[in-house]
Amino acid sequence: ILEVPLPIRFLLVILGPETRHTSYHEIGRALSAMMVERVFRMEAYLAEGRQDLIKGVEEFLDCCIVLPPSEIKNEHLLKSLVPVQQELLRKRYQKPEEIKMVPGEEGRESKAKAERSEEH
């Protein structure tokens, strides 16, 4: 696939029937947009299974504002979305210590703390 020896974590292959209503190209564009976003990318790399990846997609979509593909005649409508988007992103880009770094880690961490306290 690549002529340069780079480690690959994700390889997306989309196969499906040719239909008028399905744009596989757009699915690839959507996934590439998600991988550009740093929090989703971190969650995807740290995902240990399908559920972790699905949770990352859901969290990504929670902070997105999706506009239909059309021409916006009133630029003021777009500007009114800026404060909403800023608030969504502010919540998404919390301080690093507030972000769960590894999916499922909080359960393991509390279990480890309990085991350490039992030893002492």
Side-chain angles (χ1 to χ4, degrees), residues 41-85:
R41 186 175 55 247
M42 179 185 68
E43 290 173 348
Y45 276 101
L46 295 175
E48 294 179 357
R50 180 178 179 206
Q51 287 305 111
D52 294 332
L53 197 54
I54 290 171
K55 185 174 183 266
V57 170
E58 289 172 349
E59 290 173 358
F60 175 83
L61 292 174
D62 285 345
C63 75
C64 290
I65 297 175
V66 180
L67 301 174
S70 63
E71 289 187 34
I72 304 295
K73 294 182 171 89
N74 186 346
E75 194 174 309
H76 179 69
L77 291 173
L78 288 177
K79 288 182 180 180
S80 68
L81 293 175
V82 170
V84 175
Q85 183 68 41

Side-chain angles (χ1 to χ4, degrees), residues 6-109:
L6 294 175
I8 296 174
R9 172 72 186 226
F10 300 99
L11 178 63
L12 175 68
V13 178
I14 302 173
L15 302 173
E18 192 172 327
T19 65
R20 290 186 299 143
H21 304 292
T22 304
S23 175
Y24 299 108
H25 176 75
E26 293 301 322
I27 294 170
R29 287 180 56 178
L31 186 62
S32 65
M34 292 187 328
M35 290 302 288
V36 168
E37 201 261 338
R38 67 181 169 96
V39 175
F40 176 80
R41 186 175 55 247
M42 179 185 68
E43 290 173 348
Y45 276 101
L46 295 175
E48 294 179 357
R50 180 178 179 206
Q51 287 305 111
D52 294 332
L53 197 54
I54 290 171
K55 185 174 183 266
V57 170
E58 289 172 349
E59 290 173 358
F60 175 83
L61 292 174
D62 285 345
C63 75
C64 290
I65 297 175
V66 180
L67 301 174
S70 63
E71 289 187 34
I72 304 295
K73 294 182 171 89
N74 186 346
E75 194 174 309
H76 179 69
L77 291 173
L78 288 177
K79 288 182 180 180
S80 68
L81 293 175
V82 170
V84 175
Q85 183 68 41
Q86 287 175 333
E87 178 63 19
L88 290 170
L89 292 175
R90 184 190 64 73
K91 288 178 182 176
R92 182 141 174 96
Y93 298 127
Q94 303 168 13
K95 295 177 183 174
E97 60 269 10
E98 296 173 13
I99 297 175
K100 179 178 66 167
M101 295 306 287
V102 177
E105 188 66 27
E106 71 281 347
R108 283 184 247 152
E109 185 177 311

